[in-house]
Amino acid sequence: MGLFFLCLSGLALACPPQAPRASGPALPAAIRRALPAGYAVLDATQGDLNRDATPDWLVVLHRPDEQKTSDVIDHPTKRPLLLFVGGAGGTYTLAARSDNAVYCVDCGGMMGDPFVGLAIKKGYFTVEHYGGSAQRWTRFVTFKYDPAARTWLLHRDGSEHFHALDPEHGTTAATTAKNFGRVPLAKFDIYKE
């Protein structure tokens, strides 16, 4: 709850960020050329996604007109999450894609765009969300690289619910592979509860 205490205490200027952003160094040209037409980069971060010590990239895309086209109830405008693994000589291969791992622009309720960001650490990556109104919520979904299957599996799906005026008395919940089994990134759907 550290990030959210910072938000609530006023120490963060914008929490969560509400505009398209990209963290870390600029995307390599090889990745920019591989992005599908009609999308812009919402966020991108570099790290080791497959434990081979070669830099990899996570990229979240969005449609520039998503504010007008997305309807959270009937037809959310999806935001693709792309995983690019690095190879020899600065090459990159699209290793995985999910259109259901990042919430839509209007899925955050009164708080606006719920997407907070991405985090990568040693074969794990997390997609972070924050939304609500007086009743606030977070959802952090973590995937782990499985070298035997050469894919990323759902590792943990955690959430927190609290009232904006009483953040210290919220409730937290988390499910792990013990609860949901082996769920590949391609089969995960954040829109299904």
Side-chain angles (χ1 to χ4, degrees):
M1 217 157 75
L3 167 68
F4 305 105
F5 279 125
L6 288 175
C7 296
L8 295 170
S9 69
L11 295 175
L13 296 176
C15 196
Q18 298 296 311
R21 64 249 176 229
S23 60
L27 277 175
I31 292 178
R32 287 195 313 269
R33 286 191 299 270
L35 299 178
Y39 288 96
V41 175
L42 177 65
D43 198 8
T45 193
Q46 185 181 37
D48 188 1
L49 289 167
N50 59 356
R51 306 294 309 263
D52 68 354
T54 303
D56 307 306
W57 283 88
L58 275 179
V59 180
V60 175
L61 302 176
H62 72 109
R63 293 204 178 266
D65 63 347
E66 69 181 2
Q67 293 277 359
K68 297 175 189 170
T69 62
S70 189
D71 178 348
V72 67
I73 306 230
D74 294 323
H75 184 70
T77 300
K78 303 290 181 84
R79 293 171 153 180
L81 171 70
L82 308 177
L83 284 79
F84 290 92
V85 294
T91 61
Y92 292 93
T93 303
L94 178 61
R97 175 180 171 156
S98 173
D99 289 355
N100 295 306
V102 179
Y103 276 130
C104 66
V105 66
D106 53 344
C107 288
M110 296 299 291
M111 295 296 295
D113 185 349
F115 179 71
V116 173
L118 303 167
I120 299 174
K121 186 174 182 182
K122 298 180 181 178
Y124 293 83
F125 73 87
T126 302
V127 181
E128 303 172 350
H129 294 96
Y130 174 70
S133 56
Q135 292 294 327
R136 307 283 170 91
W137 56 266
T138 67
R139 187 161 181 195
F140 288 16
V141 183
T142 301
F143 296 87
K144 178 183 179 185
Y145 183 65
D146 181 336
R150 292 187 179 173
T151 193
W152 290 264
L153 300 175
L154 182 60
H155 177 70
R156 185 177 190 277
D157 190 352
S159 64
E160 179 179 17
H161 298 271
F162 58 94
H163 193 281
L165 299 177
D166 190 17
E168 294 183 26
H169 293 98
T171 60
T172 60
T175 55
T176 67
K178 291 179 183 177
N179 305 102
F180 46 70
R182 292 176 58 85
V183 179
L185 173 63
K187 301 262 187 203
F188 175 74
D189 190 344
I190 199 163
Y191 295 99
K192 293 185 178 174
E193 295 296 325

